[in-house]
Amino acid sequence: MAVFEGSFSESVPFLKQPTNLDGSLPGDVGFDPLGFSEVFDVKVLREAELKHGRIAMLAVLGWLVQESYTFPFFDKVSPIEAHDLLVKSGGMSQILLWTSFLEIFGGIALFQTIQGTRYPGDFSFDPLGLSAGKNEANLEKYQLAEIKHGRLAMIAFGGFAHQYFITKQGVFEQLGNFKPIPGFPEAYFGP
């Protein structure tokens, strides 16, 4: 006999299962500790999660490529210094302009999602034909992989940036030459 009536979330077993998270979307395991799904439409939240996940996947790739490769005729700089150089040179203004332009189309797509004429995150962009003519199980597998990879990339990018701010080392440099956080005792993993 349960202490509280109702079902509990699979992801946070001591919290109630959010009523709007019924498991119908890939990757939905009832994780909503702040109750956003009770206030906002779940399709809008999924659209935002997919957009941020896709951007984070590109950002993680860009961070790692920038650390490991330098284009000819450019100086080798850290990712944070590269950001500051783009701001000073005006390159970040161009990125803001084109991102704003793309957001207009994202807003149109969001209205279609709210109206129910479009699946969240589906821009019908599939140049490799991974979802065309495939069975529903494969499509769900790809959708689940995308949402999981996006969630991991959002956490990874935050980790990359904070790790650089604290240690002043890049990701690959930190892996090859571990430097503990200043002011904290070194961790000991021996028996």
Side-chain angles (χ1 to χ4, degrees):
M1 179 174 172
V3 177
F4 301 108
E5 297 294 323
S7 60
F8 289 89
S9 171
E10 180 184 333
S11 61
V12 187
F14 55 85
L15 293 179
K16 292 265 191 175
Q17 174 72 27
T19 55
N20 293 337
L21 296 180
D22 56 2
S24 59
L25 293 172
D28 175 12
V29 290
F31 182 78
D32 187 18
L34 300 178
F36 287 131
S37 66
E38 304 297 328
V39 179
F40 301 104
D41 186 2
V42 174
K43 294 181 285 187
V44 173
L45 296 174
R46 177 51 58 100
E47 182 85 25
E49 184 178 21
L50 283 169
K51 181 193 297 185
H52 288 94
R54 289 168 180 166
I55 290 170
M57 287 187 275
L58 289 172
V60 165
L61 177 66
W63 186 291
L64 296 175
V65 167
Q66 194 275 335
E67 273 192 12
S68 61
Y69 180 76
T70 304
F71 286 102
F73 310 110
F74 286 95
D75 296 331
K76 178 82 171 158
V77 294
S78 73
I80 302 299
E81 292 168 355
H83 171 271
D84 295 342
L85 286 173
L86 274 175
V87 170
K88 288 178 187 172
S89 69
M92 201 59 77
S93 301
Q94 292 178 16
I95 293 172
L96 180 63
L97 173 74
W98 289 107
T99 303
S100 301
F101 179 70
L102 291 174
E103 281 296 319
I104 293 170
F105 293 108
I108 294 168
L110 183 61
F111 285 124
Q112 293 173 345
T113 300
I114 293 170
Q115 294 169 348
T117 59
R118 180 178 156 273
Y119 189 79
D122 182 17
F123 287 97
S124 298
F125 180 73
D126 188 13
L128 299 178
L130 296 175
S131 64
K134 305 289 183 183
N135 60 19
E136 193 65 28
N138 275 346
L139 181 60
E140 272 192 37
K141 182 178 80 171
Y142 292 138
Q143 289 173 335
L144 179 62
E146 180 183 25
I147 198 73
K148 284 184 173 184
H149 294 154
R151 290 170 180 168
L152 179 63
M154 287 187 271
I155 293 170
F157 188 80
F160 289 175
H162 286 87
Q163 174 263 324
Y164 183 81
F165 287 139
I166 292 172
T167 64
K168 301 294 185 233
Q169 289 181 316
V171 176
F172 296 126
E173 184 183 357
Q174 178 77 1
L175 284 174
N177 181 22
F178 177 74
K179 183 168 129 183
I181 297 172
F184 285 87
E186 289 194 30
Y188 177 69
F189 297 106

